[in-house]
């Protein structure tokens, strides 16, 4: 009977150990299964899940606009007073609702496409209508002096007076954002007398993108190979600043390492930027990594020497010491457009002190991406930027003659946002998270049960052996005593 117990316990210990080993083996095997499946479905090619969501965004993308209304236009023009601005918004538009077009698959594992620009007003997500009036900078009057040669400034001044234009104007939200016929530009008989903060937009695109599909090397998934037919920019005339790095921000290569930066290119600001890991979060039941645009992105070259090549106007930026702004006139046909974060977040105090109404805070004005680390999909994005115009004094333009100092004048700030909807989140959890949880449960169950069975059997064997030894010793002692008594 004791022999049978030994055999059973030994067999039990063997089975327990085998289960624990099997559970341990399942960890790399399970991870390999998930990794292979992600690599297969993440590739941007016809027939994969990734391709369907890539051609047409699976979730709604919105652009929210907060427009800066000028409360004291006459005081600024006549006395050079400090501008008093109050933001009004959001005015929300749905964007990126049209599928990519002119899709071409290339032999080098890249795919080319155009993303049509489109904007559809969403009144239910806005504070008012597109017909609301806003008082803002006259774009032609403020911008033209930076474009025209000095000899033509008197002609511009005459056009301003003949059309009764001024430094400021009141127009509708729709006109300000998407364009209007400007009387000054019409008077100057320009080929296209229209202007607007984002004119032209609907029916246009920012150029052809050529990105890697991930076929053959999943680590290059979504990485931009060429934009507008070129592998680098020409805006900055510098090898570093002209680099086109990373993806377009909508997708990243899978298996995100939070210790590394996420690089992406934005045509809105004519440059590449890098986001840093900030924290781990849970979005609708899905673990995500939050990456944020750090303060050093638009820091002055004094604090971030890498930004030296982005400083194109040392005079306006106080010898490149001003933080928080980016001069993109080089890709805006010379218009003195500067990009910043909303309300000059992380900007020099001089920028905020020059305007009454700037109230920056990180929660509302920072840019971030919540990325699912296994697939590299951006599940929650907030890309926030502010558009500003540099206004300079001019003795040749009467409406600019009373401006005392050059000033960076905010026009509008925007938040381009997209968040995974509940249905898509459930699909992702079912396809990925639930599978991972199931594998982990099986792995832990096998390891746990195996270890318990193994330890229980080993302990039982030890106890059995100890009891057997004890009985043997007692029997031997009694035998010895019996022999001793017979001897006497």
């Amino acid at each position: 009977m004791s022999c049978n117990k030994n055999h059973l316990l030994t067999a039990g210990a063997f089975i327990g150990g085998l289960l624990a080993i099997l559970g341990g083996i399942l960890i790399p095997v399970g991870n390999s299964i998930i990794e292979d499946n992600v690599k297969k479905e993440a590739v941007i090619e016809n027939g994969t899940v990734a391709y369907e969501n890539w051609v047409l965004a699976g979730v709604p993308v919105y652009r929210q606009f907060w427009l800066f209304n000028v409360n004291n236009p006459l005081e600024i023009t006549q006395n050079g007073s400090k501008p008093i601005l109050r933001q009004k918004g959001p005015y929300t538009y749905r964007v990126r609702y049209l599928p990519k077009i002119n899709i071409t698959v290339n032999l080098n594992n890249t795919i080319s496409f155009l993303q049509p620009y489109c904007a559809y007003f969403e009144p239910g997500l806005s504070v008012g209508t597109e017909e609301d009036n806003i008082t803002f900078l006259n774009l032609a009057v403020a911008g033209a002096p930076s474009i025209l040669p000095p000899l033509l400034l008197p002609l511009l001044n005459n056009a301003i007076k003949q059309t009764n234009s001024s430094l400021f104007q009141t127009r509708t939200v729709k006109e300000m954002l998407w364009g209007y016929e400007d009387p000054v530009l019409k008077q100057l008989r320009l080929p296209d007398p229209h202007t607007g903060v984002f004119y032209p937009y609907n029916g246009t695109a920012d150029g052809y993108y050529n990105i890697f599909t991930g076929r053959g090397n999943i680590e290059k998934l979504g990485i931009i190979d060429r934009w507008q037919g070129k592998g680098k920019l020409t805006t900055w005339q510098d090898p570093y600043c002209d680099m086109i790095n990373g993806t377009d921000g909508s997708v990243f290569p899978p298996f995100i390492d939070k210790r590394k930066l996420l690089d992406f290119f934005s045509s809105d600001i004519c440059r590449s930027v890098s986001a840093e890991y900030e924290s781990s979060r849970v979005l609708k039941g899905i673990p995500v990594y939050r990456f944020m645009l750090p303060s050093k992105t638009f820091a002055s070259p004094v604090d971030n020497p890498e930004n030296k090549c982005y400083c194109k106007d040392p005079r306006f930026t106080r010898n490149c010491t001003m933080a928080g702004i980016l001069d993109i006139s080089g890709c805006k046909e010379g218009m003195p457009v500067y990009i910043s974060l909303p309300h000059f977040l992380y900007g020099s105090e001089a920028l905020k002190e020059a305007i009454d109404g700037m109230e920056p805070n990180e929660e509302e004005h920072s840019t971030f991406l919540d990325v699912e680390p296994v697939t590299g999909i951006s599940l929650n994005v907030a890309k926030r930027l502010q558009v500003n115009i540099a206004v300079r004094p001019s003795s040749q333009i009467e409406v600019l003659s009373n401006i005392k100092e050059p000033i960076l004048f905010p026009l509008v700030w925007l938040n381009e946002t997209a968040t995974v909807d509940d249905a898509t989140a459930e699909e992702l959890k079912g396809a990925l998270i639930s599978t991972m949880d199931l594998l982990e449960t099986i792995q832990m169950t096998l390891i746990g049960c195996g270890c318990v069975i193994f330890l229980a059997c080993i302990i039982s064997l030890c106890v059995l052996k100890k009891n057997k030894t004890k009985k043997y010793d007692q029997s031997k002692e009694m035998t010895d005593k019996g022999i001793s008594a017979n001897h006497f």
Side-chain angles (χ1 to χ4, degrees), residues 3 15 39 58 60 66 129 149 213 215 226 276 358 361 378 413:
C3 184
I15 293 172
K39 287 181 178 180
W66 283 263
T129 73
T213 64
R215 169 66 60 189
R226 304 178 76 81
E276 294 179 347
M358 298 293 98
N361 70 78
S378 299
W413 74 268

Side-chain angles (χ1 to χ4, degrees), residues 46-97:
N46 204 353
T48 65
V49 174
Y51 183 81
E52 296 175 8
N53 292 320
W54 173 79
V55 171
L56 179 61
V59 298
V61 182
Y62 297 100
R63 270 198 178 188
Q64 301 171 297
F65 296 97
W66 283 263
L67 286 62
F68 288 107
N69 189 77
V70 183
N71 285 9
N72 61 335
L74 288 178
E75 289 84 349
I76 298 171
T77 305
Q78 295 175 359
N79 307 319
S81 300
K82 181 178 182 177
I84 300 174
L85 307 186
R86 295 295 180 263
Q87 71 174 30
K88 188 175 182 180
Y91 291 91
T92 304
Y93 292 79
R94 185 170 179 184
V95 296
R96 300 182 186 273
Y97 57 83

Side-chain angles (χ1 to χ4, degrees), residues 1-15 457 461 464:
M1 183 69 178
S2 176
C3 184
N4 289 337
K5 282 185 177 180
N6 282 338
H7 289 159
L8 287 173
L9 290 173
T10 301
F14 176 77
I15 293 172
C457 290
L461 280 171
L464 189 64

Side-chain angles (χ1 to χ4, degrees), residues 126-428:
S126 305
V127 296
T129 73
E130 287 186 295
E131 302 308 313
D132 289 353
N133 285 327
I134 297 290
T135 299
F136 65 105
L137 268 181
N138 188 320
L139 301 180
V141 173
S146 297
I147 301 175
L148 296 177
L151 289 176
L152 294 182
L153 292 184
L155 180 63
L156 173 63
N157 189 55
N158 288 333
I160 293 172
K161 290 193 293 184
Q162 289 172 6
T163 57
N164 293 317
S165 298
S166 183
L167 183 57
F168 299 96
Q169 60 183 338
T170 298
R171 291 189 177 274
T172 66
V173 170
K174 184 176 182 178
E175 288 177 318
M176 178 185 178
L177 292 176
W178 311 118
Y180 55 91
E181 184 178 75
D182 186 89
V184 174
L185 300 181
K186 186 177 181 181
Q187 182 70 21
L188 293 173
R189 298 183 179 180
L190 295 185
D192 183 3
H194 293 82
T195 187
V197 179
F198 298 100
Y199 175 83
Y201 191 81
N202 280 336
T204 68
D206 62 343
Y208 272 97
Y209 283 83
N210 194 52
I211 67 171
F212 288 97
T213 64
R215 169 66 60 189
N217 185 355
I218 200 66
E219 294 181 1
K220 298 179 75 173
L221 171 69
I223 300 296
I224 298 172
D225 177 42
R226 304 178 76 81
W227 177 62
Q228 294 187 344
K230 299 176 182 178
K232 63 178 182 178
L233 305 175
T234 57
T235 304
W236 308 103
Q237 300 297 306
D238 181 89
Y240 175 79
C241 285
D242 280 330
M243 289 192 298
I244 299 176
N245 296 328
T247 73
D248 64 357
S250 62
V251 67
F252 296 92
F255 316 114
I256 300 295
D257 185 347
K258 61 185 178 183
R259 296 168 299 180
K260 297 181 179 179
L261 299 175
L262 282 188
D263 297 324
F264 59 96
F265 170 73
S266 173
S267 63
D268 290 331
I269 62 175
C270 315
R271 63 165 286 190
S272 301
V273 294
S274 299
E276 294 179 347
Y277 171 80
E278 187 264 341
S279 62
S280 294
R281 302 175 179 232
V282 176
L283 176 66
K284 299 186 178 183
I286 303 172
V288 296
Y289 289 164
R290 171 158 291 188
F291 285 81
M292 297 189 68
L293 209 62
S295 59
K296 68 179 182 181
T297 302
F298 297 139
S300 75
V302 175
D303 298 316
N304 183 7
E306 292 181 347
N307 284 345
K308 177 65 178 176
C309 47
Y310 292 118
C311 181
K312 292 299 180 182
D313 190 346
R315 185 177 178 183
F316 187 82
T317 57
R318 301 181 183 181
N319 200 27
C320 299
T321 62
M322 194 172 287
I325 56 177
L326 176 69
D327 177 3
I328 62 168
S329 59
C331 59
K332 296 299 178 182
E333 299 179 338
M335 276 289 287
V337 179
Y338 282 73
I339 293 296
S340 69
L341 293 180
H343 288 249
F344 297 125
L345 178 67
Y346 306 137
S348 296
E349 286 302 314
L351 295 169
K352 291 169 272 189
E353 291 172 356
I355 304 289
D356 184 323
M358 298 293 98
E359 299 176 352
N361 70 78
E362 285 192 345
E363 184 176 351
E364 292 183 14
H365 301 144
S366 59
T367 288
F368 68 83
L369 307 94
D370 290 339
V371 183
E372 197 289 306
V374 176
T375 61
I377 299 173
S378 299
L379 299 182
N380 184 31
V381 177
K383 185 176 74 174
R384 294 158 174 162
L385 297 171
Q386 180 170 296
V387 181
N388 313 275
I389 293 286
V391 179
R392 296 174 173 87
S394 174
S395 59
Q396 294 179 283
I397 307 294
E398 290 183 23
V399 295
L400 293 172
S401 61
N402 292 323
I403 302 298
K404 297 174 182 177
E405 296 287 340
I407 185 172
L408 202 57
F409 213 101
L411 296 175
V412 58
W413 74 268
L414 64 90
N415 175 28
E416 183 167 304
T417 180
T419 303
V420 63
D421 55 57
D422 294 340
T424 305
E426 287 301 319
E427 287 180 12
L428 182 59

Side-chain angles (χ1 to χ4, degrees), residues 34 285 287 429 432-444:
I34 294 172
K429 284 194 291 185
L432 180 65
I433 308 301
S434 298
T435 303
M436 293 172 63
D437 288 344
L438 177 61
L439 280 172
E440 185 176 351
T441 300
I442 294 173
Q443 292 163 3
M444 293 302 104

